Amino acid sequence: MPDKPSVLFVCVHNAGRSQMAAAWLTHLAGDRVEVRSAGSAPADTVNPAVVEAMREVGIDIAREEPKVLTVDAVQASDVVITMGCGDACPVFPGKTYLDWKLDDPAGQGVAAVRPIRDEIRTRIEDLIADIAPAKTG
């Protein structure tokens, strides 16, 4: 892993899971990690229930916009984490690929999004410990 690893989160619409994961990683790791997110078929806007669920924990993603998955984004990332995007994500040697099985918040209310948000946070904390642990000493 380089001094500043880069992570790409991919889901179909880039409107829920990948947006929450990117926001958690940015929030918890700060500038120790470069963060990207994208979707294989991006939505027009981020899911409002996802925006509200993240706002409840003090993270504002209201201005985020879904982005289309590009080969360049994958090539520029050290770790690629997919969340139900199927086979749409290109695979390159030397990258770390993880597939996180998470419920899809699409069409769900805030109450249903909260447990997904919290599970993503736990996974992000584990990811940070693996790829960008805090410097000690």
Side-chain angles (χ1 to χ4, degrees), residues 27-104:
H27 180 76
L28 296 171
D31 62 1
R32 297 193 327 260
V33 179
E34 186 176 338
V35 181
R36 298 179 182 88
S37 71
S40 53
D44 293 329
T45 61
V46 174
N47 179 333
V50 167
V51 172
E52 181 58 31
M54 293 304 286
R55 185 177 292 124
E56 290 177 353
V57 294
I59 300 173
D60 183 4
I61 62 170
R63 291 194 177 109
E64 295 298 325
E65 294 181 4
K67 295 167 278 310
V68 69
L69 176 65
T70 65
V71 170
D72 290 345
V74 177
Q75 286 181 313
S77 301
D78 301 306
V79 179
V80 179
I81 299 175
T82 58
M83 304 170 184
C85 70
D87 296 328
C89 194
V91 176
F92 294 99
K95 308 288 178 199
T96 298
Y97 291 88
L98 303 171
D99 186 41
W100 289 357
K101 304 284 187 219
L102 296 161
D103 290 337
D104 188 348

Side-chain angles (χ1 to χ4, degrees), residues 1 5 7-9 21 25 33 79 81 96 98 100 120-133:
M1 236 3 96
V7 178
L8 170 64
F9 295 101
L25 185 54
V33 179
V79 179
I81 299 175
T96 298
L98 303 171
W100 289 357
I120 291 172
R121 180 185 178 137
T122 299
R123 291 177 186 229
I124 292 296
E125 290 169 341
D126 293 342
L127 178 69
I128 292 167
D130 286 346
I131 68 167

